[in-house]
Amino acid sequence: DQQVKQNSPSLSVQEGRISILNCDYTNSMFDYFLWYKKYPAEGPTFLISISSIKDKNEDGRFTVFLNKSAKHLSLHIVPSQPGDSAVYFCAAFGGSNYKLTFGKGTLLTVNP
Amino acid sequence: DARVTQTPRDKVTEMGQEVTMRCQPILGHNTVFWYRQTMMQGLELLAYFRNRAPLDDSGMPKDRFSAEMPDATLATLKIQPSEPRDSAVYFCASGTGTGQETQYFGPGTRLLVL
């Protein structure tokens, strides 16, 4: 039973365009969400987060949107750069303050 | 530049052998997490320590896996005996223990059990 789902295993976009990565969750106890980025042969690194009391959080080129009623969040990257090519994981806290539940990731490829 | 370190980075072993993976959390962090990444399951939490005490190891196969923190600078994950289905990338992460904190991941140990 996957509680955090990233339904697109991969996404390809052109440099300079917008990248939109999507994530759906099923557990209504989730109240804090994070995005991690992972390069090959490295561990995931924290990118951006959002609390369930907000619907948007911005950090430079990265914006996370949260739609609680739809149990859906998305990560927007504008403009996309080749260095953004990586696997992006959506993760959620809920019910406990330490247990992160991860999605399976989306491989983003930004073409020059 | 504080970071989580893990050794070894790669390990190839034969079925039945003992495997020990080591992790040095970021200095000052008091929570440590062990994760396993596989293609089928994604990133799964295996064990969680706070102030060196194991608080959750429900994700770990108890019969063959064990996790310890001999001191604040070292966490270990052992598999004995190892099986081919244990082949995966094992990540260690550490955090400040403030609740819903950002977890900082190490580079991982890629394990292949033949």
Side-chain angles (χ1 to χ4, degrees):
Chain A
D1 176 28
Q2 226 187 331
Q3 299 185 67
V4 176
K5 299 178 185 178
Q6 294 178 256
N7 291 320
S8 298
S10 63
L11 175 68
S12 182
V13 300
Q14 285 299 119
E15 181 178 6
R17 298 289 186 100
I18 184 171
S19 296
I20 300 176
L21 297 102
N22 293 303
C23 176
D24 296 296
Y25 62 96
T26 57
N27 190 335
S28 57
M29 295 291 290
F30 288 152
D31 58 3
Y32 191 74
F33 304 88
L34 303 88
W35 285 93
Y36 279 80
K37 180 169 74 172
K38 184 184 179 305
Y39 292 118
E42 294 184 12
T45 55
F46 170 72
L47 190 58
I48 192 170
S49 62
I50 188 167
S51 165
S52 60
I53 62 173
K54 295 186 173 182
D55 55 17
K56 177 182 173 181
N57 188 27
E58 223 172 321
D59 184 1
R61 296 186 297 114
F62 303 90
T63 303
V64 57
F65 295 91
L66 175 62
N67 182 332
K68 282 182 61 180
S69 60
K71 293 191 175 67
H72 176 83
L73 63 155
S74 60
L75 174 68
H76 292 212
I77 307 174
V78 184
S80 301
Q81 299 173 354
D84 296 329
S85 298
V87 176
Y88 289 78
F89 290 97
C90 173
F93 277 114
S96 80
N97 279 340
Y98 66 85
K99 188 162 187 175
L100 262 180
T101 302
F102 283 86
K104 290 192 176 181
T106 296
L107 173 62
L108 173 66
T109 303
V110 180
N111 301 302
Chain B
D1 183 22
R3 61 182 68 185
V4 176
T5 58
Q6 290 186 248
T7 57
R9 293 294 309 273
D10 288 278
K11 177 73 176 179
V12 181
T13 190
E14 293 188 347
M15 183 173 64
Q17 296 298 305
E18 177 178 302
V19 175
T20 299
M21 290 169 269
R22 294 176 174 81
C23 166
Q24 182 171 18
I26 292 173
L27 190 64
H29 282 188
N30 66 350
T31 55
V32 171
F33 307 81
W34 282 104
Y35 288 89
R36 175 170 63 183
Q37 184 187 19
T38 61
M39 291 296 291
M40 293 298 293
Q41 300 295 330
L43 270 165
E44 311 170 87
L45 179 67
L46 297 175
Y48 161 64
F49 289 77
R50 177 184 287 273
N51 295 323
R52 296 176 53 201
L55 293 192
D56 185 351
D57 61 1
S58 58
M60 217 161 56
K62 300 290 192 304
D63 55 340
R64 299 182 299 108
F65 284 57
S66 62
E68 295 179 343
M69 278 201 76
D71 60 61
T73 64
L74 177 65
T76 63
L77 179 67
K78 287 187 182 180
I79 309 174
Q80 168 63 19
S82 58
E83 297 181 1
R85 60 179 166 152
D86 301 328
S87 298
V89 182
Y90 291 81
F91 290 103
C92 174
S94 70
T96 56
T98 55
Q100 292 186 339
E101 78 253 36
T102 299
Q103 296 177 16
Y104 296 85
F105 283 76
T109 294
R110 189 197 313 261
L111 173 65
L112 178 61
V113 183
L114 302 173

